[in-house]
Amino acid sequence: MSEPDDQLRRLLERAAVIADLTQARSVLSWDENTYMPAGAAEARGQQMATLETVAHRMLTDPELIALVGDLEAAGFPDGSVEAATVRQARRAVDQATKVPVELVEALGKHVARARSVWAQARQQQSFAPFAPELERMVDLKRQEAAALGYQDHPFDALHDQFEPGSTAARVRSVFEPLREELVALVREIQDSGRTLDDAVLRQTFDEDAQRRFALDLATAFGYDTEHGRLDPTVHPFAMSMSKYDVRITTRYQRHYLNTALFGTLHETGHALYEQGIDDAYYRTPLEATASLGIHESQSRLWENVVGRSRGFWEGAYPWLQRAFPGAFDKVRLDTFYAAINRVEPSFIRVEADEVTYNLHVMVRFELEQALLGGELEVRDLPEAWNARYAEFLGVTPPNDAVGVLQDVHWSIGLFGYFPTYTLGNVMSLQLYEAAVAAEPSIPRDIREGRFSRLLGWLRENVHRHGSRYLPEELLRNATGSDLDAGPYLRYLKDKYQALYGLA
Amino acid sequence: MSEPDDQLRRLLERAAVIADLTQARSVLSWDENTYMPAGAAEARGQQMATLETVAHRMLTDPELIALVGDLEAAGFPDGSVEAATVRQARRAVDQATKVPVELVEALGKHVARARSVWAQARQQQSFAPFAPELERMVDLKRQEAAALGYQDHPFDALHDQFEPGSTAARVRSVFEPLREELVALVREIQDSGRTLDDAVLRQTFDEDAQRRFALDLATAFGYDTEHGRLDPTVHPFAMSMSKYDVRITTRYQRHYLNTALFGTLHETGHALYEQGIDDAYYRTPLEATASLGIHESQSRLWENVVGRSRGFWEGAYPWLQRAFPGAFDKVRLDTFYAAINRVEPSFIRVEADEVTYNLHVMVRFELEQALLGGELEVRDLPEAWNARYAEFLGVTPPNDAVGVLQDVHWSIGLFGYFPTYTLGNVMSLQLYEAAVAAEPSIPRDIREGRFSRLLGWLRENVHRHGSRYLPEELLRNATGSDLDAGPYLRYLKDKYQALYGLA
C-alpha cells in the first residue's frame, strides 16, 4: 500500500469511529425529542455532551490533524472521492480546532442562558429582557467568525458552516432581484381582491388517519420504512442515525390538516436525501449532505413543487378522500388545491405560504448581516424588524412575540443559517426543471401517482453524492447552471397568477 | 484537598464519562429493542460496539488503573462510600483487563456464530448442529474463568460477575435442601389430583386495555413515569439509561392475559430498584445494582409475592373488572386467584409457575457446573438434561427445542447466570418478611391498594444503596440474616398447600 493510501485508510478508521459517536448522539437526540420521559432531560444533556466531548477529542487529536495535513499534501486528483474525503475531514478538523476552547465554552454557556431568557421574553411579548443576551450573543458570534476567518464579512464565516463556499455577497446577488419581484407578486395578489378559502383544511381530522395518510404519501414518494419511521413530536424534524436509519417526525393538529400533511412531506424530502447517500460513503466523512441549502431544496421540492402542485393532487385527491371519509366527498379538487395554496402576508415565518415565505427569510438575512457588521444595534432591532415587515410584507407585528422574538435561532447562536431556507427554494426549482428536462414524463408520472423517475434522477444527481461536492458544484453538475432564481420565480408567478386569476 | 480525596475526585471524573457512555449505549439498545427500523440493525451494532470500545479504552487506561491502585492503598474505612466506590471501580477495571483482548475477541466472534447456529438448531429441534458450537463456547468460558481467577471451580469466576462474592458451593448449599422440598411439593400437588383452571385468563383482551391496566398497577406500585415509560417489545426487559430514565417493556398476547400483566409487574420490580438508587450515586460506580440476584429479588417480590397474592387481588380485582369490561363480571375472585397460581410441571422455564420455576433453574445450574468442571461432555448434555427433567419435574421433553435448546443463555456465553433467578426468589421472601416485621401494616396496605410503605422499606434498605454493598452484605443489613431459603419455602408451602387443599 502506498503511503497516501495507508494514511487515507488510517483517516477513514478514525472517521468511522467519530461517525459512530455522532450517530449515537443522533439516536439520543431523536429519543429526547420523541419518547424520552421528561424527568430524564438533564441526564440526557449530560450523555449527549459526553458523546460530543469524546468525538471532539478525537477530532482534535494531533495525529489526526497531521494525517489530514499529509493527505492534503499528497494531492489526490481534484474531484476524486479521496480529495473530497480529505476536504471534508479538513472542514471537520477546522471547525473543531479553529475556535478556542474558551470561546466554545462561553458560547455553550451563553446559549443555555439566552435560550431560556428568550423563551421568557417571548412569553412576555417583550424584546427588552432578551436584548442584553442577544447583544452578548452577537459579540460572541463575531468572535467566533473572527476565529473561523473570513474575507469580507463576519456573516460569511458563520454562513459557510451551513452552506460551504457561499457568502453574504453571493446570497445578496440572488436575494435582491428575487425580493423585488416577490414584493410585487404579493402586492398583485393582494390587489386582486381575491382570497382563497382554506376552510376545508380546518375540519376535524382523526390523528391516526392523518398519520396513515401522511406516511402513505411518504412511502409513495419512496421513503423507505425498512430504514426509517414516522413519530410524533413537538418541533418536527428529520434525523439521520446513519444512512440506514433516517427517521421523520411530525406534529398533529386535530382541526388543521396542513401541519402534519405538508410537514411530513417536507421531512420526507429531507429523509429521501439522507437515505439516498451512496452505501460506499457509510461511516466516512462523505456520509453527510452537501449543505443545508441543498437539504432544503429536497424538502421543498417534495413538499411544495410536488406536494402542493395541482398535478400531484389529480392523482392523490381520491386517496385523500378515502383517507378521511366524508370530509372531502363534496369538495372539488380545485377548491382543495386553492386551499393548500392560499397566500396571505402574515407575521410568522413557519406558517407562511410559498410566496411570502422568502420575504420572511430576507428580513432576517438583512438584519443579521447588519447586526454582525455592527451597522445595527441590538436595541434598534425590533424597530428595524417591524420596518422591514412593513416594507416587504405590508404587515406590522402587533408585539415582539410574533415579531422579532418568533424564532429560536438567534437565541441558540444560529447565525448565517436563515438564507439556506430560501437558497433551498431557489435550488428546488433548478433541480426540478433539470429533472424534467432529462425525464420529460415526470409531470405525467406525478399526476398518475408515480414518483420513482423523479426520485431516481435526484438519487443519481444529488442524493448519492453525499458531501462529495460543494453545493454549487453539485448544483452545476446536476443542472448545468449556477445558482439562479429565475426558474423559481417563473414557477411562483405561473402558479400564483393562475390561482389568483392575474394577468 | 488531601491526596486521596483528589485521587478520588479524578477517579469519579473518569467514571462519570464512562457512565455516560454506558448509559448512551443503553439508549441505543432500548431503541434497538423497541422502535428501531429493521434495516438499521447492522449500523446499530456498529454504533454500540464503538461505544463499548471507547468505554473499554477508558477503563483500561493505565492512569485510571494506577488511580484505583493508589486509592486501594489509601485505605478508606471499610463500609464507607469511598471504599465501596473504589471496590466497584476495581471490579470494572478487572473485568476490562483480566481477560486477554484475544480471548474477548474470540468470545465476541463465537457468540455471534453460536447464537445463530443455536437459533437454527432450535428451529430444527435438534441439538446435534449446536453441539460443536457449545463445546467451543464451554472451552472459551473455561479460559475466561481461568483468566478471571477462582479458588474452587471455574463456575465461581463466571458467577461472580453477576453475583459478587457468591460461589457454586454457596449456591449449592441453598439449592440442595430447597430442591428436595420443592420436588416433594410438586409431587404432593400432582398427587392431590386437583388442577386449577386458568380458562379465565384465556379470553380476548384488548391490547390497549392490557397496556393501561398494567401501567396503572405499575404506577400504583410506585413506578415513576416522569422517569420511565412502558413500550412493547418481543423479549421484555427493564433498562436503566441513568437512574432518571428507567424504562420497562412488555409483550401483549391477545388471548392470554398473564404475559403482559405479570411481565409488566416483573419489570416494574426491576425498574423500582434502579429508580430508587440514591441521587448522590448518579454517574458514579455506585449507580448500579448490588447483583442480579438482588435485582431479581425485586422483580419477583412485586410480580409474585405481591402480584400473585390473594391479598393484593382483594384490592385490585375490582380494578381488573373495570379495566376489561365484561370479562370478569361473573368470575369470582378465588377463581381468578387460582387461575394465576396454577401449578403444572412443564418443559419451558419462562412459562413455569412459582413452584416449578426453581427446578428448571436447578437443572441448568447442575449441568453448567458439570460442563465447566469437565465432568459432563457436551455430547451427553441432552440426555443429562432430559434425565434431570424426569427426576426433578417428572416430565421428559419431546424434543431438544423444548428441552436443552430452549434458552439463549449458553449460546451467548452466559454461564454462571441461571442461579441468580432462584437466588432472587429466595431473597424476595427474606426481604418481604423483614419489611413486614418492620412495618406490620404492609399486608393490610397491599389488600387496600397502598404500596408506599413496602416500597419505602425497600427504598431505604435495598434500592438507595445501589452497588454500595455486596449482595450478601446488603441482605444481612436489611434482614439480619444470611441467605436462607426457609422463608421462601414456607411461603410456597403455605400458599400452595392452601390453593391445592393439601394437609
Side-chain angles (χ1 to χ4, degrees), chain B residues 408-429:
Chain B
V408 73
H409 299 58
W410 290 338
S411 80
I412 59 173
L414 284 180
F415 284 71
Y417 189 109
F418 279 119
T420 65
Y421 294 126
T422 289
L423 293 177
N425 279 331
V426 165
M427 292 190 285
S428 72
L429 257 292

Side-chain angles (χ1 to χ4, degrees), chain B residues 93-280:
Chain B
V93 163
D94 280 356
Q95 284 183 11
T97 54
K98 279 194 170 176
V99 184
V101 177
E102 303 73 41
L103 181 54
V104 172
E105 282 174 5
L107 268 163
K109 274 190 198 149
H110 190 59
V111 162
R113 176 179 168 79
R115 182 187 200 147
S116 121
V117 174
W118 164 78
Q120 287 164 28
R122 195 169 70 147
Q123 191 85 32
Q124 296 160 22
Q125 307 190 339
S126 164
F127 180 71
F130 181 54
E133 310 307 329
L134 184 55
E135 259 169 47
R136 166 111 173 111
M137 184 64 83
V138 170
D139 181 48
L140 290 169
K141 296 305 286 189
R142 287 171 56 100
Q143 291 179 44
E144 188 187 356
L148 290 166
Y150 58 86
Q151 288 209 306
D152 291 341
H153 198 289
F155 183 94
D156 296 349
L158 305 173
H159 180 52
D160 182 83
Q161 294 176 304
F162 310 115
E163 203 63 28
S166 183
T167 61
R170 186 85 187 101
V171 172
R172 255 197 314 274
S173 72
V174 177
F175 279 19
E176 280 177 8
L178 183 58
R179 194 186 78 211
E180 272 180 50
E181 301 261 17
L182 288 177
V183 170
L185 179 59
V186 171
R187 197 147 305 157
E188 257 190 291
I189 288 171
Q190 292 194 288
D191 291 348
S192 77
R194 188 185 279 207
T195 55
L196 306 181
D197 184 0
D198 68 352
V200 297
L201 305 173
R202 297 179 184 278
Q203 308 179 66
T204 299
F205 303 101
D206 176 65
E207 179 172 320
D208 207 50
Q210 290 192 55
R211 199 191 76 84
R212 279 196 307 269
F213 181 63
L215 192 55
D216 279 351
L217 292 188
T219 54
F221 284 175
Y223 179 59
D224 172 8
T225 54
E226 269 290 296
H227 297 95
R229 46 180 293 129
L230 169 64
D231 296 276
T233 191
V234 179
H235 300 290
F237 59 90
M239 192 171 282
S240 167
M241 314 162 201
S242 95
K243 63 149 291 188
Y244 300 110
D245 190 357
V246 185
R247 306 189 191 178
I248 56 177
T249 57
T250 198
R251 188 163 65 90
Y252 300 96
Q253 292 193 278
R254 209 168 154 66
H255 299 293
Y256 189 48
L257 187 62
N258 275 26
T259 309
L261 175 52
F262 291 100
T264 302
L265 301 191
H266 182 93
E267 303 309 336
T268 298
H270 283 304
L272 288 171
Y273 187 5
E274 307 250 10
Q275 285 189 334
I277 296 172
D278 196 320
D279 286 324

Side-chain angles (χ1 to χ4, degrees), chain B residues 237-470:
Chain B
F237 59 90
M239 192 171 282
S240 167
M241 314 162 201
S242 95
K243 63 149 291 188
Y244 300 110
D245 190 357
V246 185
R247 306 189 191 178
I248 56 177
T249 57
T250 198
R251 188 163 65 90
Y252 300 96
Q253 292 193 278
R254 209 168 154 66
H255 299 293
Y256 189 48
L257 187 62
N258 275 26
T259 309
L261 175 52
F262 291 100
T264 302
L265 301 191
H266 182 93
E267 303 309 336
T268 298
H270 283 304
L272 288 171
Y273 187 5
E274 307 250 10
Q275 285 189 334
I277 296 172
D278 196 320
D279 286 324
Y281 297 163
Y282 168 57
R283 293 178 87 223
T284 79
L286 304 186
E287 191 196 9
T289 55
S291 73
L292 287 193
I294 299 285
H295 227 312
E296 198 71 9
S297 78
Q298 300 307 293
S299 56
R300 302 286 170 148
L301 193 157
W302 290 100
E303 176 195 357
N304 292 334
V305 186
V306 176
R308 280 193 168 86
S309 71
R310 196 175 183 295
F312 169 68
W313 287 105
E314 282 178 29
Y317 199 59
W319 310 347
L320 178 80
Q321 289 175 316
R322 274 197 300 277
F324 301 98
F328 296 99
D329 290 2
K330 292 174 190 154
V331 179
R332 289 177 48 238
L333 167 58
D334 276 321
T335 307
F336 177 76
Y337 173 62
I340 61 173
N341 286 297
R342 172 192 170 96
V343 174
E344 192 178 30
S346 68
F347 311 122
I348 304 294
R349 175 182 59 87
V350 297
E351 295 168 6
D353 55 82
E354 271 188 287
V355 181
T356 58
Y357 186 89
N358 304 288
L359 297 170
H360 292 264
V361 170
M362 291 170 186
V363 169
R364 289 152 178 79
F365 171 59
E366 292 199 359
L367 297 175
E368 215 173 85
Q369 282 178 90
L371 285 172
L372 290 167
E375 300 103 45
L376 175 66
E377 294 293 325
V378 165
R379 65 167 175 273
D380 299 326
L381 181 61
E383 200 184 325
W385 179 284
N386 293 350
R388 288 288 191 306
Y389 264 77
E391 184 189 345
F392 295 179
L393 285 146
V395 298
T396 303
N399 63 59
D400 295 337
V402 296
V404 66
L405 289 174
Q406 70 184 267
D407 295 307
V408 73
H409 299 58
W410 290 338
S411 80
I412 59 173
L414 284 180
F415 284 71
Y417 189 109
F418 279 119
T420 65
Y421 294 126
T422 289
L423 293 177
N425 279 331
V426 165
M427 292 190 285
S428 72
L429 257 292
Q430 292 188 263
L431 291 166
Y432 181 73
E433 288 198 352
V436 174
E439 302 274 8
S441 69
I442 284 176
R444 195 184 62 219
D445 284 358
I446 291 175
R447 281 196 302 276
E448 294 172 359
R450 289 189 311 269
F451 309 96
S452 58
R453 222 178 310 247
L454 174 56
L455 179 62
W457 188 91
L458 293 168
R459 281 273 142 94
E460 181 62 24
N461 291 279
V462 180
H463 302 174
R464 72 181 175 93
H465 299 299
S467 57
R468 175 160 174 195
Y469 302 110
L470 292 176

Side-chain angles (χ1 to χ4, degrees), chain A residues 298-355:
Chain A
Q298 300 307 293
S299 56
R300 302 288 170 146
L301 192 156
W302 291 101
E303 176 193 358
N304 292 334
V305 186
V306 176
R308 279 192 169 88
S309 71
R310 198 177 181 293
F312 170 68
W313 288 105
E314 283 178 27
Y317 198 59
W319 310 346
L320 178 81
Q321 289 175 316
R322 273 197 300 276
F324 301 99
F328 296 100
D329 290 1
K330 291 172 190 158
V331 180
R332 289 179 46 240
L333 167 58
D334 276 321
T335 307
F336 176 77
Y337 173 63
I340 62 173
N341 286 295
R342 171 192 170 99
V343 174
E344 192 177 31
S346 67
F347 310 122
I348 305 293
R349 175 182 60 85
V350 297
E351 296 168 5
D353 56 80
E354 270 188 287
V355 181

Side-chain angles (χ1 to χ4, degrees), chain A residues 20 31 39 50 226 229 247, chain B residues 20 31 35 39 50 226 247:
Chain A
D20 289 335
D31 181 71
T50 288
E226 267 291 297
R229 45 180 293 128
R247 306 190 190 178
Chain B
D20 289 335
D31 181 72
Y35 298 122
T50 288
E226 269 290 296
R247 306 189 191 178

